Amino acid sequence: QVHLVESGGGLVQAGDSLTLSCTDSGRTFNAYATGWFRQGSGKEREFVAAVSRSGGSARYADSVKGRFFVSWDNAGTTVWLQMNGLLPEDTAVYYCAAVRDSGDSVYIYRTSYDNWGQGTQVTVSS
């Protein structure tokens, strides 16, 4: 199992960019497929982006497609979520999730994941 920690959240203005990171205390965890989910106040947690173990495949929610990009670092110690052109509706707590994967699949459903970080707040003002 991994203990995921997200960082990089903060308060930004609409149109700004922000990059979130997900790590397992610096350990390599590229045996896991990973995903990003977010939960706005009073809303259900929703899928944002996901990337396969190898980084070769990724999927995005329609609401962020073309604006957000998910990737692994070369060492396999960090999963990044680059967020561009942020909108007020992107305001949420963002969670990193991971599931051990013997293949190279991408998972977009909450129920696919069994490891979750504590979340990092992203607030976008208008």
Side-chain angles (χ1 to χ4, degrees):
Q1 299 297 313
V2 292
H3 293 101
L4 304 176
V5 176
E6 305 95 335
S7 63
L11 174 63
V12 298
Q13 294 183 348
D16 284 353
S17 296
L18 200 61
T19 300
L20 307 181
S21 66
C22 174
T23 68
D24 180 28
S25 299
R27 291 186 288 268
T28 299
F29 67 110
N30 57 2
Y32 293 78
T34 63
W36 288 92
F37 294 77
R38 67 187 182 187
Q39 187 167 20
S41 180
K43 300 179 180 179
E44 294 186 351
R45 194 170 300 186
E46 66 177 2
F47 169 73
V48 176
V51 64
S52 65
R53 288 179 58 194
S54 71
S57 299
R59 292 184 64 179
Y60 301 90
D62 288 342
S63 59
V64 307
K65 194 171 298 181
R67 297 189 297 123
F68 290 13
F69 303 91
V70 62
S71 62
W72 283 94
D73 70 336
N74 290 333
T77 60
T78 306
V79 176
W80 302 96
L81 181 66
Q82 183 180 353
M83 305 183 294
N84 302 314
L86 284 163
L87 303 169
E89 49 262 47
D90 295 319
T91 295
V93 177
Y94 283 71
Y95 297 90
C96 180
V99 60
R100 195 171 188 90
D101 190 11
S102 61
D104 196 33
S105 297
V106 180
Y107 303 96
I108 67 171
Y109 300 109
R110 290 174 57 186
T111 53
S112 295
Y113 295 93
D114 56 9
N115 291 275
W116 292 85
Q118 84 291 342
T120 185
Q121 176 71 46
V122 173
T123 302
V124 184
S125 66
S126 59

